[in-house]
């Protein structure tokens, strides 16, 4: 047996336990870090060939592994922009270097510039929302992503385009009888515009309807004909469309007003349904993020306006991703290529708004590992110390 080999093996064991203690220290330090995935040290033996009946002590190698695919528990919060992923996938964030990374740390906050940044300063990325189709995803890369920015939604006004006005016209009135009602519409700048509708009886079961704005006709007069039961006959228009107007620099769009539910019965004039879309200038009061990652602005008038769709990413071997400072991950040679998608589709998990994913560190397990490492380190130091003492005896024999 080589005394030098004994000492080398002791040093190898001490280095291995030092590596284990380093991962334990990191795990304990990050036990409360949102989205943190614990590291662990794996050991493998290093055996040297035995020659001439003489044993050559080898040593031990270590390899650090990360439990990135192991999901942590959830802590629920009152902030809609605190996000967690229930299942597979990663948020895509952008750093100050302009590069995209993956993370499970979803403690996002709306900054002064409208961006959503997590506690490490990385900005959430996604796609602009479309109500007609999902954005085309570059499956194997981050191309096409944009920063999710909510600054443009500070104030919102939506011009009116359509509505409904269903009334009952009194059948027992004589020809020439007229009655008016009105609807409030919104122009492109959120100003209210009063549209007046005037009904005139022209004969038995026959009426006209005319729409005016400030005394100027913008639709009609349109004839309305009813059957013997007081229902609007099919040849009569089911809706009337007003002409578009430019008012003090703002645009009042053409309005398609449905009148198909109107009736003519022996009852006083009455409005059974009167509504119009659009809204005046309204401030953002909050945000709402759905399970499929649609980010909507919530206005003080109760309206929800979808703005963005959060993108998600994954790889074939998440545990082999490359961890980087800031609790983020980058693709490595062993992780596989990045695959993009949306929450709730193709195996990706659902986004939980108002929640954060806890670290998957078990403190009790880490303390046990720390005690084991301490004892093993001490034992390996005894091996080195014994070899050193025997080496000193051997040197003294020559004297």
């Amino acid at each position: 047996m080589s005394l030098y080999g004994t000492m080398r093996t002791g040093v190898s064991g001490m280095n291995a336990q030092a590596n284990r203690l380093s991962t334990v220290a990191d795990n304990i330090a990050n036990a409360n870090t949102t989205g943190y995935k614990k590291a662990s040290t794996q050991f493998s033996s290093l055996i040297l060939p035995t020659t001439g009946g003489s044993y050559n002590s080898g040593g031990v190698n270590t390899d650090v592994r990360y439990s990135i695919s192991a999901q942590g528990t959830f802590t629920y919060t009152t902030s809609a922009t605190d996000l967690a992923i229930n299942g597979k996938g990663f948020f895509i964030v952008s750093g100050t270097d302009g590069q995209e990374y993956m993370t499970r740390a979803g403690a996002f906050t709306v900054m002064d510039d409208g961006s959503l940044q997590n506690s490490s300063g990385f900005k959430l990325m996604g796609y602009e929302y479309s109500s007609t189709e999902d954005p085309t995803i570059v499956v194997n890369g981050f191309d096409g992503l944009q920063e999710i920015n909510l600054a443009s939604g500070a104030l919102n006004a939506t011009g009116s385009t359509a509505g409904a006005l269903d009334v009952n016209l009194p059948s027992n009135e004589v020809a020439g009888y007229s009655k008016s009602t009105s609807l409030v519409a919104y122009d492109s700048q959120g100003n209210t515009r009063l549209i007046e509708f005037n009904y005139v009886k022209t004969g038995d079961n026959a009426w006209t309807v005319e729409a005016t704005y400030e005394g100027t006709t913008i639709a009609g007069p349109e004839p309305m004909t009813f059957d013997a039961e007081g229902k609007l006959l099919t040849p009569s228009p089911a809706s009337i469309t007003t002409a578009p107007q430019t008012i003090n620099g703002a645009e009042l769009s053409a309005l398609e007003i449905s009148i198909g539910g109107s009736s003519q019965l022996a009852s006083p004039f009455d409005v059974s349904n009167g509504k119009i879309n659009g809204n005046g200038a309204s401030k953002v009061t909050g945000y709402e993020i759905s399970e499929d990652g649609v980010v909507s602005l919530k206005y003080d008038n109760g309206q929800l306006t979808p703005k963005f769709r959060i993108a998600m990413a994954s790889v074939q071997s998440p545990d082999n991703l490359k961890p980087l400072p800031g609790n983020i991950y980058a693709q490595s040679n062993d992780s596989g290529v990045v695959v993009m998608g949306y929450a709730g589709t193709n195996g990706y998990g659902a986004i939980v708004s108002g929640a954060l994913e806890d670290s998957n560190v078990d403190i009790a397990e880490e303390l046990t590992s720390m005690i084991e490492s301490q004892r093993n380190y001490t034992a390996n130091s005894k091996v080195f110390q014994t070899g050193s003492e025997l080496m000193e005896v051997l040197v003294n024999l020559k004297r």
Side-chain angles (χ1 to χ4, degrees):
M1 179 182 71
S2 168
L3 291 178
Y4 174 75
T6 301
M7 296 170 64
R8 184 189 62 225
T9 301
V11 171
S12 172
M14 286 190 288
N15 286 335
Q17 295 304 325
N19 285 341
R20 186 185 187 191
L21 280 170
S22 295
T23 59
V24 168
D26 225 9
N27 291 340
I28 293 176
N30 287 280
N32 297 112
T33 300
T34 299
Y36 175 81
K37 304 302 179 180
K38 71 175 183 178
S40 61
T41 304
Q42 306 297 319
F43 297 86
S44 61
S45 60
L46 176 62
I47 299 177
L48 298 180
T50 300
T51 58
S54 197
Y55 183 77
N56 289 326
S57 60
V60 61
N61 288 326
T62 58
D63 180 48
V64 178
R65 297 183 182 178
Y66 298 91
S67 301
I68 299 174
S69 60
Q71 181 168 309
T73 57
F74 292 157
T75 295
Y76 292 92
T77 72
T78 57
S79 174
T81 57
D82 282 340
L83 305 177
I85 301 173
N86 186 13
K88 171 186 172 183
F90 297 87
F91 297 114
I92 303 167
V93 293
S94 176
T96 55
D97 57 0
Q99 297 297 313
E100 287 81 16
Y101 303 95
M102 292 172 281
T103 188
R104 297 276 293 196
F108 294 104
T109 303
V110 181
M111 307 305 288
D112 291 342
D113 61 357
S115 63
L116 282 173
Q117 293 187 23
N118 66 12
S119 53
S120 297
F122 291 89
K123 297 180 180 181
L124 183 62
M125 305 294 285
Y127 297 95
E128 191 171 349
Y129 177 80
S130 171
S131 59
T132 57
E133 60 181 359
D134 288 334
T136 301
I137 289 181
V138 178
V139 176
N140 60 343
F142 299 122
D143 291 343
L145 289 171
Q146 66 181 86
E147 174 190 308
I148 293 180
N149 192 296
L150 305 179
S152 61
L155 280 173
N156 177 66
T158 305
S160 301
T161 58
L165 184 59
D166 298 324
V167 301
N168 178 70
L169 300 172
S171 61
N172 49 3
E173 294 291 348
V174 298
Y177 169 85
S178 66
K179 189 68 176 181
S180 297
T181 189
S182 58
L183 286 176
V184 172
Y186 300 93
D187 64 23
S188 58
Q189 297 178 1
N191 299 298
T192 58
R193 304 299 178 183
L194 190 65
I195 310 299
E196 187 171 293
F197 297 85
N198 187 48
Y199 298 86
V200 177
K201 186 170 185 179
T202 58
D204 293 338
N205 298 334
W207 296 74
T208 61
V209 57
E210 180 183 19
T212 62
Y213 173 71
E214 293 188 346
T216 301
T217 298
I218 57 175
E222 297 286 348
M224 303 171 64
T225 306
F226 297 86
D227 61 16
E229 296 180 353
K231 296 180 180 180
L232 198 63
L233 287 173
T234 302
S236 296
S239 64
I240 62 173
T241 302
T242 66
Q245 305 289 309
T246 300
I247 308 168
N248 298 331
E251 298 293 331
L252 178 62
S253 299
L255 307 175
E256 185 177 358
I257 308 298
S258 171
I259 59 173
S262 297
S263 61
Q264 181 199 242
L265 299 172
S267 180
F269 179 88
D270 179 66
V271 178
S272 59
N273 180 33
K275 60 184 179 181
I276 201 163
N277 64 4
N279 62 269
S282 180
K283 293 183 179 179
V284 174
T285 58
Y287 310 94
E288 187 172 294
I289 302 175
S290 64
E291 288 187 350
D292 57 355
V294 177
V295 182
S296 300
L297 303 183
K298 185 184 298 183
Y299 291 91
D300 57 11
N301 61 2
Q303 182 184 7
L304 278 177
T305 303
K307 287 290 186 179
F308 294 94
R309 183 84 179 266
I310 297 173
M312 296 183 68
S314 185
V315 292
Q316 289 81 357
S317 181
D319 291 342
N320 286 318
L321 285 168
K322 180 181 179 182
L324 296 170
N327 208 6
I328 57 174
Y329 305 100
Q331 178 184 334
S332 72
N333 293 333
D334 298 323
S335 66
V337 298
V338 174
V339 179
M340 302 280 288
Y342 291 121
T345 63
N346 299 325
Y348 288 95
I351 290 179
V352 184
S353 177
L356 296 173
E357 183 179 357
D358 299 327
S359 165
N360 62 1
V361 172
D362 184 332
I363 288 292
E365 181 181 334
E366 297 303 320
L367 291 176
T368 301
S369 296
M370 182 173 63
I371 295 170
E372 290 177 351
S373 294
Q374 181 183 14
R375 290 177 176 175
N376 291 338
Y377 189 95
T378 301
N380 279 283
S381 69
K382 290 295 184 182
V383 171
F384 180 85
Q385 184 178 6
T386 300
S388 177
E389 291 174 353
L390 292 176
M391 183 69 75
E392 185 178 356
V393 171
L394 182 60
V395 170
N396 288 336
L397 286 177
K398 184 178 179 181
R399 297 175 184 174

